[in-house]
Amino acid sequence: MPMLIRTTSDVAPSQITPKSVYLRRRAFLERAIAMGLVLPLLPAQALAVGARKLSGRPGPFSASEKQTPYKDVTTYNNFYEFGTGKDEPAIYAPKMKTRPWAVTVDGEVKRGGVFGIEDLLKLAPMQDRVYRHRCVEAWSMVIPWVGYPLAELIKRVEPTGRAKYVAFTTKLDPETMVGTRLPLLDWPYVEGLRLDEAMHPLTLLTFGLYGELLPNQNGAPVRVVVPWKYGFKSAKSIVRVTFTEQQPKTAWNEAAPNEYGFYSNVNPNVDHPRWSQARERRIGEDGFFTPKRKTLMFNGYANQVAELYAGMDLKKFF
Amino acid sequence: MWQPRGRELGAIKSALFALCLVPFAHLVWGVAYDALGANPVEAVTHSTGWWTLFLLCATLGVTPLRRATGANWLLKLRRMLGLYAFFYAALHFLTYIWLDQWFDLAAIAADVLKRPYITVGFTAFLLLIPLAATSTDAMQRRLGRSWQRVHRFIYLIAVFGVLHFWWLVKRDVTEPALFALVLAGLLGARLYWLLRRLARVTRAAVATSSG
Ligand code: HEM
């Protein structure tokens, strides 16, 4: 784990983990040891201990709800590249290399090209944004992300008049991404948005959470967060951003078109064919004996985004 | 073939009884110490569902194992395995109607009617109830030959259990496929015996009529 073997001179003051985070981790580790769980979790912890600080200025749209504990946010993940178990990404993802990292921007843009991760980190001022996160599996979290609007990047690359959609491609590395050795989805993972959705000020190009760089299992080193859509729309570990005229073929939509629509806006009135979307369980907060809470239209962001879908039949374009 | 005597069989039964309680104990401990991960209700649903299906398969495995090894005493463990399958199914169902749905009868009814995986799971659970209720010696004696006919429903219940699992996974069918394979073997053994018996009966009939 290279991040651990670091001489003192490598550590800038800004990189030292804040004490509260450190204590939180220590409490977790102690509990994990008590539970005999520490071995499978060790790689994730080892990396998290070396995580670098990333903070931003307070941004708009932040939810004031109780934030989901760091431990839950970083150990309960759907990231099928690292396996279908929700505990697997935290176990396997730390092996993925996130430096060097480049993101290719291509398709219908005038100023496309390859962006190094260090350049992307400096492209616009970082903001702290606390968003609700609603998974298609009817659970939810509240996560303090760090990033800046995707629109900042889009404006700089100047989409052509033909650009109507944006596709995000996730890294594909069968060496470390053990899940991609199975034909679970049509790898690499591709997700997409309509251009106006991608330009919306809520759509965040995200580099961190809880004041530090993203842990790998949460989509390091760069992902999008689209808080009014089900979680799988928010592509992780992005290596390519392609502007297209046609609606891109997206992973879950291709895998089961009747279950996962291209839009996949959070909508309590449109059930997944196999389960209801009317309610959700807030991870880390709705305890064992708490009923699930009602899911909000557009995950509670209706005031911001409803107009994007004016006149559309959301039952048809689910 | 070794056959355990009274005390030995008692010890084996006690050990199996305790062994089958381990998943339950793990859940109770996990709830008490908040050690079931970020989504404990999901963990309990999955664990109880998994053990129901596992124990259904174990129950169905007794007869093939007995016939293959000649260890007839294995039959004496079958009822316990079956009742444990029912125990975990009941916990599974309780988790669903209570912790998942909070007794929202309208939502439960909608689920049972609209969602095929719930429909088959629910049917499987309903079918298990009469089997558990007629599992006593007294019932077995009272029902006589029809007892066996009633208890053959376990084949259907296990098939529904696998279908339920298959239909509920999002994408990764590895585990339901493994269960399907095991179940196919267990049911295939019955089919093989049936065909062999039919062949023998036919041969015997041919022999008598021509002799
Ligand atoms: C004999 C009857 C049943 C068997 C064998 C069975 C088996 C299973 C199995 C194996 C799983 C998946 C466990 C895993 O992922 O590891 C499961 C999940 C589940 N079962 Fe059952 N089940 C039965 C009855 C029921 C009933 C009656 C209901 C509710 C009415 C139900 C509701 C569920 C739910 C909600 C899940 C979780 C689904 C999800 O994760 O999306 N099951 N069951």
Side-chain angles (χ1 to χ4, degrees):
Chain A
M1 211 57 42
M3 287 201 147
L4 269 183
I5 317 165
R6 178 183 273 156
T7 56
T8 37
S9 59
D10 287 341
V11 185
S14 66
Q15 296 176 350
I16 293 168
T17 312
K19 187 149 179 232
S20 61
V21 175
Y22 165 74
L23 287 179
R24 198 160 52 228
R25 280 192 203 119
R26 201 171 63 173
F28 167 53
L29 261 181
E30 278 164 7
R31 255 181 51 202
I33 291 166
M35 283 153 43
L37 276 182
V38 76
L39 266 180
L41 290 177
L42 200 56
Q45 272 310 308
L47 191 89
V49 169
R52 278 197 297 154
K53 224 185 133 189
L54 179 75
S55 54
R57 292 176 296 178
F61 309 119
S62 271
S64 53
E65 287 147 82
K66 187 163 170 274
Q67 294 170 20
T68 306
Y70 179 88
K71 182 197 90 173
D72 292 337
V73 173
T74 57
T75 58
Y76 188 75
N77 307 99
N78 273 325
F79 197 165
Y80 275 22
E81 279 81 343
F82 297 105
T84 52
K86 286 198 239 306
D87 52 346
E88 286 178 305
I91 296 167
Y92 297 113
K95 295 201 192 80
M96 174 175 69
K97 284 205 178 62
T98 58
R99 294 292 187 283
W101 190 278
V103 179
T104 306
V105 179
D106 60 3
E108 295 293 340
V109 281
K110 297 195 192 101
R111 306 164 66 88
V114 179
F115 291 73
I117 187 66
E118 305 301 338
D119 300 329
L120 284 177
L121 278 162
K122 285 182 292 212
L123 190 116
M126 290 290 167
Q127 300 178 15
D128 289 324
R129 293 210 185 169
V130 184
Y131 281 166
R132 286 179 292 276
H133 175 87
R134 171 61 156 79
C135 178
V136 72
E137 296 167 357
W139 52 266
S140 63
M141 298 185 175
V142 179
I143 306 175
W145 301 107
V146 190
Y148 52 76
L150 176 64
E152 297 278 2
L153 174 66
I154 297 180
K155 276 182 234 153
R156 279 172 179 74
V157 298
E158 295 178 28
T160 69
R162 282 202 295 275
K164 299 276 184 313
Y165 296 91
V166 193
F168 308 93
T169 307
T170 296
K171 184 184 172 81
L172 175 57
D173 174 25
E175 194 76 28
T176 54
M177 295 174 146
V178 291
T180 62
R181 298 176 202 164
L182 296 172
L184 298 169
L185 293 167
D186 189 9
W187 311 112
Y189 192 91
V190 174
E191 253 315 330
L193 298 170
R194 232 167 47 190
L195 188 59
D196 57 343
E197 296 174 326
M199 289 291 290
H200 193 279
L202 271 171
T203 304
L204 200 68
L205 193 64
T206 306
F207 301 86
L209 60 79
Y210 264 109
E212 55 188 46
L213 290 173
L214 286 170
N216 286 1
Q217 61 269 33
N218 296 89
V222 57
R223 64 174 297 173
V224 283
V225 173
V226 195
W228 72 93
K229 291 176 181 284
Y230 294 121
F232 67 88
K233 292 296 294 180
S234 295
K236 302 191 185 89
S237 304
I238 295 168
V239 292
R240 181 177 225 109
V241 179
T242 308
F243 292 76
T244 62
E245 196 173 356
Q246 306 295 330
Q247 181 175 304
K249 288 185 163 33
T250 54
W252 281 101
N253 183 233
E254 287 286 299
N258 59 327
E259 300 188 10
Y260 311 97
F262 174 78
Y263 284 94
S264 285
N265 294 315
V266 176
N267 187 340
N269 308 315
V270 178
D271 286 349
H272 184 280
R274 287 183 288 151
W275 56 83
S276 163
Q277 296 291 24
R279 289 175 175 275
E280 68 200 43
R281 186 176 301 283
R282 185 63 56 80
I283 299 298
E285 192 177 344
D286 295 350
F288 200 69
F289 294 104
T290 326
K292 291 190 281 191
R293 64 184 66 200
K294 284 210 158 81
T295 289
L296 303 173
M297 188 64 203
F298 294 116
N299 203 19
Y301 298 98
N303 285 344
Q304 287 81 30
V305 301
E307 62 182 358
L308 292 176
Y309 310 102
M312 269 173 75
D313 179 356
L314 296 177
K315 284 204 157 65
K316 186 159 165 239
F317 296 97
F318 60 89
Chain B
M1 190 66 214
W2 176 77
Q3 304 280 347
R5 273 167 297 162
R7 283 243 303 284
E8 290 161 341
L9 187 66
I12 292 173
K13 277 185 165 178
S14 307
L16 185 65
F17 185 87
L19 197 66
C20 289
L21 267 183
V22 169
F24 177 65
H26 174 254
L27 290 179
V28 171
W29 177 79
V31 171
Y33 289 92
D34 190 18
L36 291 178
N39 195 344
V41 174
E42 178 186 73
V44 171
T45 308
H46 283 189
S47 171
T48 51
W50 197 94
W51 284 105
T52 304
L53 197 51
F54 179 89
L55 286 161
L56 281 172
C57 290
T59 312
L60 283 171
V62 169
T63 297
L65 196 63
R66 176 179 73 86
R67 290 179 65 147
T69 61
N72 288 330
W73 59 275
L74 287 171
L75 206 55
K76 299 220 158 73
L77 306 177
R78 194 171 61 180
R79 171 163 49 196
M80 195 194 305
L81 290 171
L83 280 175
Y84 260 118
F86 178 69
F87 172 67
Y88 281 101
L91 285 176
H92 186 63
F93 184 60
L94 191 67
T95 311
Y96 167 79
I97 57 167
W98 181 5
L99 304 178
D100 195 45
Q101 300 292 331
W102 277 85
F103 305 109
D104 182 343
L105 291 182
I108 294 170
D111 257 6
V112 170
L113 294 176
K114 271 204 316 208
R115 316 206 191 281
Y117 92 91
I118 299 275
T119 315
V120 293
F122 188 70
T123 313
F125 179 65
L126 288 186
L127 289 173
L128 263 179
I129 295 173
L131 303 207
T134 59
S135 66
T136 59
D137 287 337
M139 275 311 240
Q140 196 164 357
R141 268 195 307 276
R142 237 174 72 189
L143 289 175
R145 284 187 72 79
S146 42
W147 187 88
Q148 223 181 26
R149 234 175 294 141
V150 171
H151 280 250
R152 284 214 181 99
F153 267 113
I154 189 177
Y155 304 147
L156 192 63
I157 293 168
V159 169
F160 280 180
V162 169
L163 263 186
H164 170 71
F165 197 0
W166 197 294
W167 284 343
L168 71 86
V169 293
K170 254 164 75 193
R171 207 56 206 149
D172 186 358
V173 293
T174 318
E175 270 201 272
L178 284 175
F179 271 112
L181 214 63
V182 169
L183 187 62
L186 294 170
L187 297 185
R190 268 87 177 172
L191 189 65
Y192 171 72
W193 297 328
L194 182 71
L195 293 178
R196 222 177 40 174
R197 209 171 60 216
L198 280 180
R200 214 177 311 132
V201 172
T202 325
R203 260 203 315 277
V206 171
T208 23
S209 65
S210 65

